Amino acid sequence: TLFLFFSLGTGSSILSALQDLFWLSKSKVEKQLQIISVLQWVLTFLIMGVACTLILMYILCTDCWAIAALYLAWLVFDWNTPKKGGRRSQWVRNWAIWRYFRDYFPIRLVKTHNLLTTRNYIFGYHPHGIMGLGAFCNFSTEATGVSQKFPGIRPYLATLAGNFRMPILRDYLMSGGICPVNRDSIDYILSKNGSGNAIIIVVGGAAESLNCTPGKNSVTLKNRKGFVKLALRHGADLVPVYSFGENEVYKQVIFEEGSWGRWVQKKFQKHIGFAPCIFHGRGLFSSNTWGLLPYSKPITTVVGEPITIPKIDNPSQKEVDFYHSIYVDSLIKLFDKYKSKFGLPETEVLEVN
């Protein structure tokens, strides 16, 4: 009877239904894993440094104080490591969690030109967005295949130096190839670490993050020339990078110039190095509620054509201005060439502030 049941087709229909149910369950599990992977990174970005500092202080006041004391001793011994290229871990960069992180949005890395391993590079990443999600996923993990797309190139994502004063967080950041965005660190990587290095600098920084909002493509660049001077001093080629969709994943309250809110943000930016933003994404359990999770909008990071930069030990302001203008033009051309491919109308103009 069972044989006839299956041979008549009813059984095969049930098996098909069970198979569909299995794949549906797998899809749901993968979606939850994507949410968890993004949530852990958001919490790392927002609170890991402060949380680890408080936990360490608490342990010092308990019977386990020796553990905290040993770590603090190690911290003193290891203090300058972030300034000397850090301590990257290919194992951490290849964690499966980053692939779920990538697929949540999804995030893509687009290569337009080859990079020579005999040269060093400074990538200018635009725009900052709220958290620089595309910059992290593409250059601090192997989720989008940066090492396969640019063989022989070692990417270093530069971020606030203050993050490397936070216990545990500093080690976590270094494991992904993240370095402080200061002169000592950049000088070391570009002059004492051989060739084939690429430092990714989010040029607009905190000032740019204050203006990011869905539907707006603007960069803070006109008066940002320090990265060009560094490139000239080391003879490192400049590479414009634009991430389409970076501004779409969070909604932010934009304070107008002259308002009390903007005044507070600028004071924080000036004295601490970052600007507090009032923003929201979606909720943990529903995309229709507010929360800390970013919206699952595509982010496509396009790496443009390298600009050959000569080595000038003491570049003049005129030379810095000249190569800065070339960089700005290259970034605009990159944006115009790819904007229609990634959902923007041909009439869209990149605003350079």
Side-chain angles (χ1 to χ4, degrees):
T1 305
L2 186 61
F3 174 77
L4 289 174
F5 178 73
F6 277 96
S7 65
L8 290 173
T10 307
S12 61
S13 299
I14 293 173
L15 288 174
S16 178
L18 289 172
Q19 188 177 33
D20 289 342
L21 181 62
F22 171 78
W23 285 111
L24 181 63
S25 299
K26 183 179 179 181
S27 175
K28 286 183 177 179
V29 169
E30 286 186 348
K31 188 62 180 177
Q32 293 306 313
L33 288 172
Q34 291 170 13
I35 289 173
I36 292 169
S37 68
V38 175
L39 180 62
Q40 69 82 26
W41 190 85
V42 170
L43 294 177
T44 296
F45 183 92
L46 295 175
I47 66 171
M48 183 177 179
V50 174
C52 288
T53 302
L54 293 174
I55 290 170
L56 196 67
M57 292 172 63
Y58 171 75
I59 294 175
L60 279 171
C61 301
T62 68
D63 293 338
C64 298
W65 63 269
I67 296 174
L70 284 172
Y71 179 80
L72 288 174
W74 159 254
L75 195 62
V76 173
F77 174 78
D78 195 55
W79 191 254
N80 289 323
T81 298
K83 299 177 183 178
K84 297 180 179 180
R87 188 170 46 246
R88 75 174 55 218
S89 165
Q90 286 302 117
W91 176 65
V92 174
R93 288 174 61 88
N94 281 289
W95 276 353
I97 194 171
W98 306 132
R99 294 193 290 275
Y100 290 112
F101 182 97
R102 171 199 67 195
D103 293 340
Y104 173 84
F105 296 93
I107 296 173
R108 290 176 55 208
L109 179 65
V110 176
K111 169 186 174 180
T112 63
H113 292 79
N114 291 325
L115 299 181
L116 300 175
T117 57
T118 55
R119 300 286 293 173
N120 283 324
Y121 301 91
I122 293 180
F123 287 18
Y125 184 92
H126 313 269
H128 183 286
I130 294 292
M131 297 184 184
L133 293 158
F136 170 79
C137 185
N138 286 308
F139 301 113
S140 295
T141 80
E142 294 296 332
T144 56
V146 63
S147 293
Q148 287 72 45
K149 288 183 170 71
F150 300 105
I153 301 297
R154 293 181 298 277
Y156 293 86
L157 177 61
T159 189
L160 290 175
N163 288 323
F164 296 89
R165 301 187 188 104
M166 302 284 190
I168 310 300
L169 175 63
R170 66 188 294 276
D171 302 287
Y172 191 37
L173 295 177
M174 283 194 291
S175 68
I178 300 177
C179 68
V181 61
N182 58 30
R183 181 170 172 175
D184 289 344
S185 177
I186 294 172
D187 282 347
Y188 184 91
I189 293 170
L190 295 180
S191 64
K192 299 180 181 179
N193 202 41
S195 60
N197 302 292
I199 298 179
I200 298 88
I201 299 177
V202 186
V203 178
E208 191 172 84
S209 68
L210 296 178
N211 295 314
C212 70
T213 188
K216 186 174 184 179
N217 288 284
S218 67
V219 296
T220 302
L221 183 57
K222 280 184 180 178
N223 298 315
R224 299 294 175 109
K225 300 180 181 180
F227 74 105
V228 178
K229 189 172 184 178
L230 280 170
L232 286 165
R233 288 180 62 246
H234 293 285
D237 294 348
L238 289 171
V239 182
V241 179
Y242 197 85
S243 255
F244 295 90
E246 185 72 64
N247 284 346
E248 307 300 316
V249 296
Y250 279 110
K251 295 178 181 178
Q252 180 183 189
V253 177
I254 304 292
F255 294 102
E256 295 181 2
E257 290 292 338
S259 66
W260 67 270
R262 182 54 63 101
W263 180 84
V264 170
Q265 289 176 322
K266 287 188 173 181
K267 286 295 181 182
F268 265 84
Q269 179 189 334
K270 181 180 179 179
H271 297 292
I272 301 178
F274 73 92
C277 302
I278 299 177
F279 65 91
H280 73 84
R282 52 155 290 183
L284 182 60
F285 302 106
S286 171
S287 59
N288 297 320
T289 58
W290 288 10
L292 288 176
L293 277 177
Y295 294 104
S296 52
K297 304 287 186 180
I299 299 174
T300 305
T301 303
V302 184
V303 180
E305 182 178 3
I307 303 164
T308 302
I309 302 294
K311 189 178 186 302
I312 305 173
D313 291 334
N314 294 296
S316 65
Q317 190 59 51
K318 185 177 180 180
E319 289 167 327
V320 172
D321 291 343
F322 174 73
Y323 285 101
H324 181 267
S325 65
I326 292 176
Y327 178 86
V328 173
D329 290 342
S330 297
L331 178 65
I332 292 172
K333 288 177 182 176
L334 179 71
F335 178 85
D336 289 340
K337 182 176 180 179
Y338 289 93
K339 60 187 178 183
S340 61
K341 294 182 181 179
F342 302 119
L344 298 178
E346 283 290 346
T347 55
E348 185 72 19
V349 176
L350 178 62
E351 180 183 329
V352 180
N353 299 313

